[in-house]
């Protein structure tokens, strides 16, 4: 039988019961101190039949934050909250990676400790808005990080990865997609640096590779995934040659024996550049997690052809806590309610019905 969503997957020392991943999904429902709270525990518990859950992005430090009510992984309260989540998922036999997140320029002084400016590779004002305690406000021109500050950013990733061990995760995914800090270093529309972290592809990959090395030093590379979004213009991102850039990045990751490379294959904007995902994927010699608008049929085709090793589902996992069972039974899917994606309470979060 060809490989399909229900084929088990051995990922290093981790055994996944199926190849259906829950994509990382920002939901803006963290509790006090940006710590996971009871309804977050219930939400992930409900979805534990995924072969692998990748959590919503969790900020690695107080200054990595970019949105209201997103969880962190830098305080004792946050670690304790996540421990409840991992215990709940493990009690149902699930596996869960935390997504390590630094928003970089996609933040706002009103979300930052002491009202300081967000940081970025370069002081370039991105188009877009931040959702702040007083509502939507335009993004601001960030402060360019000094070269001497970059070891501190890498150290923050390392510490957050250590916190994930304490919180009982099975591994971590490094968020290098969708216009956040690591992606800002990778793509030249956001990176105009003239030091060793800007200009050439080698230089633009440097911070990413230092972070991967540091996090792999904590977890072992086989418990570390990396997410890219080569064509996503979200957060005002652009690159002068996406194919060349991301083929390079995927190739560079072959230096580690990672759990997986995760490709977010969509552009949230209207004019995606030409991009050959098959070529990009072939640059990477390890496992590939495909994501972006897949349904069951397309996912199975991607697995059968060897293009993908796992497929991550986002909106359909929001609306269907028992998505694997629905796929297995070819049961109808609940429709996601966009109005309750970001922020709010249990409504649109833990109240989607499972099959009876
Ligand atoms: C939507 C809203 C807020 C954040 C991403 C973490 O795009 C996000 C995100 C998505 O990766």
């Amino acid at each position: 039988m060809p490989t399909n969503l229900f084929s088990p997957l051995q990922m290093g020392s981790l055994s996944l019961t199926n190849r259906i991943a829950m994509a990382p999904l920002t939901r803006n429902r963290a509790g006090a101190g940006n710590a996971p709270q009871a309804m977050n525990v219930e939400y992930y518990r409900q979805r534990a039949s995924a072969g692998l859950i990748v959590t919503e992005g969790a900020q690695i430090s107080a200054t990595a934050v970019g949105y209201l009510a997103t969880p962190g992984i830098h305080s004792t309260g946050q670690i304790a909250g996540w421990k409840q989540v991992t215990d709940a998922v493990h009690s149902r036999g699930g596996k869960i990676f935390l997504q390590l997140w630094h928003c970089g320029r996609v933040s706002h002084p009103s979300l930052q400790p002491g009202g300081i400016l967000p940081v970025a590779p370069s002081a370039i004002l991105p188009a877009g808005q931040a959702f702040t305690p007083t509502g939507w406000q335009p993004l601001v021109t960030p402060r360019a990080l000094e070269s001497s500050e970059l070891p501190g950013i890498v150290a923050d990733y390392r510490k957050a990865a250590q916190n994930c061990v304490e919180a009982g995760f099975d591994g971590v995914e490094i968020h290098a997609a969708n216009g956040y800090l690591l992606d800002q270093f990778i793509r030249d529309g956001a990176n105009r640096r003239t030091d060793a972290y800007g200009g050439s592809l080698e230089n633009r990959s440097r911070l990413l590779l230092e972070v991967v090395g540091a996090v792999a030093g904590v977890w072992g590379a086989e418990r570390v995934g990396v997410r890219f979004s080569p064509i996503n213009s979200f957060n005002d991102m652009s690159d002068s040659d996406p194919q060349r850039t991301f083929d390079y990045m995927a190739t560079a990751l072959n230096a580690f024996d990672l759990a997986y490379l995760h490709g977010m294959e969509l552009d949230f904007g209207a004019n995606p550049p030409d991009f050959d995902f098959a070529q990009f994927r072939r640059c990477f010699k390890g496992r590939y997690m495909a994501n972006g608008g897949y349904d069951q049929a397309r996912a199975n085709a991607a697995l059968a052809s060897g293009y993908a090793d796992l497929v991550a589902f986002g909106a359909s996992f929001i609306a269907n806590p028992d998505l694997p069972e629905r796929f297995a039974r070819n049961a109808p899917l609940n429709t996601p309610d966009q109005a309750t994606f970001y922020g709010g309470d249990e409504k649109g979060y833990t109240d989607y019905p499972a099959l009876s």
Side-chain angles (χ1 to χ4, degrees):
M1 210 165 81
T3 302
N4 68 27
L5 285 169
F6 293 98
S7 311
L9 177 64
Q10 195 63 34
M11 210 165 71
S13 58
L14 201 62
S15 304
L16 308 185
T17 56
N18 63 54
R19 291 159 186 257
I20 304 167
M22 178 177 167
L25 295 159
T26 290
R27 303 303 307 273
N28 308 84
R29 284 169 170 86
N34 288 341
Q37 56 178 331
M39 71 168 151
N40 312 127
V41 177
E42 176 59 10
Y43 165 77
Y44 285 111
R45 192 196 64 76
Q46 289 176 348
R47 289 159 179 76
S49 62
L52 180 66
I53 292 173
V54 183
T55 72
E56 64 207 282
Q59 45 271 5
I60 60 163
S61 65
T63 48
V65 67
Y67 299 84
L68 267 186
T70 53
I73 183 67
H74 54 86
S75 76
T76 52
Q78 292 162 359
I79 296 167
W82 282 118
K83 184 69 171 59
Q84 307 270 312
V85 170
T86 62
D87 283 348
V89 169
H90 290 150
S91 74
R92 291 193 59 210
K95 303 278 191 264
I96 181 166
F97 277 28
L98 177 131
Q99 195 194 47
L100 296 169
W101 194 23
H102 192 310
C103 291
R105 70 184 191 176
V106 185
S107 185
H108 192 273
S110 65
L111 297 167
Q112 291 285 325
I116 59 173
L117 283 175
V119 295
S122 300
I124 299 170
L125 172 66
Q129 294 191 314
F131 191 73
T132 74
T134 55
W136 291 102
Q137 293 198 50
L139 294 173
V140 299
T141 302
R143 179 178 72 78
L145 285 158
E146 303 288 343
S147 315
S148 60
E149 293 178 279
L150 296 176
I153 299 281
V154 176
D156 288 344
Y157 275 94
R158 184 185 296 111
K159 181 73 179 109
Q162 286 163 347
N163 292 343
C164 290
V165 176
E166 199 180 328
F169 284 96
D170 298 293
V172 294
E173 176 175 293
I174 295 168
H175 194 348
N178 296 347
Y180 301 106
L181 184 71
L182 295 174
D183 197 22
Q184 291 160 27
F185 273 82
I186 291 169
R187 289 198 258 180
D188 59 12
N191 184 344
R192 303 283 162 71
R193 297 179 74 88
T194 54
D195 66 357
Y197 293 83
S200 66
L201 285 169
E202 186 185 1
N203 284 356
R204 284 189 273 140
S205 72
R206 193 176 307 281
L207 184 62
L208 169 75
L209 298 179
E210 289 179 356
V211 167
V212 173
V215 172
V218 173
W219 273 97
E222 70 171 42
R223 297 300 180 106
V224 179
V226 173
R227 192 181 208 212
F228 292 143
S229 58
I231 61 170
N232 197 0
S233 58
F234 182 53
N235 286 322
D236 203 16
M237 291 300 286
S238 64
D239 190 82
S240 57
D241 191 345
Q243 191 80 51
R244 183 169 162 268
T245 295
F246 284 94
D247 286 359
Y248 181 95
M249 298 300 154
T251 304
L253 292 180
N254 290 324
F256 308 89
D257 196 6
L258 293 177
Y260 60 82
L261 170 63
H262 184 178
M264 206 298 282
E265 299 173 351
L266 298 179
D267 178 13
F268 299 165
N271 297 301
D274 281 339
F275 193 85
D276 182 345
F277 274 97
Q279 178 181 315
F280 159 73
R281 189 270 171 272
R282 279 195 303 273
C283 291
F284 183 67
K285 302 307 174 198
R287 284 172 287 269
Y288 181 69
M289 181 189 292
N291 170 246
Y294 281 79
D295 60 13
Q296 188 176 4
R298 207 175 133 230
N300 280 330
L303 295 168
S305 70
Y307 172 70
D309 298 281
L310 299 100
V311 180
F313 297 87
S316 45
F317 242 124
I318 287 178
N320 298 276
D322 54 350
L323 188 65
E325 191 186 348
R326 285 173 191 261
F327 281 160
R329 289 164 59 175
N330 279 310
L333 302 184
N334 300 320
T335 305
D337 170 27
Q338 302 236 9
T340 50
F341 277 5
Y342 307 112
D345 54 18
E346 286 83 355
K347 184 173 175 302
Y349 190 56
T350 51
D351 65 352
Y352 286 103
L355 292 171
S356 48

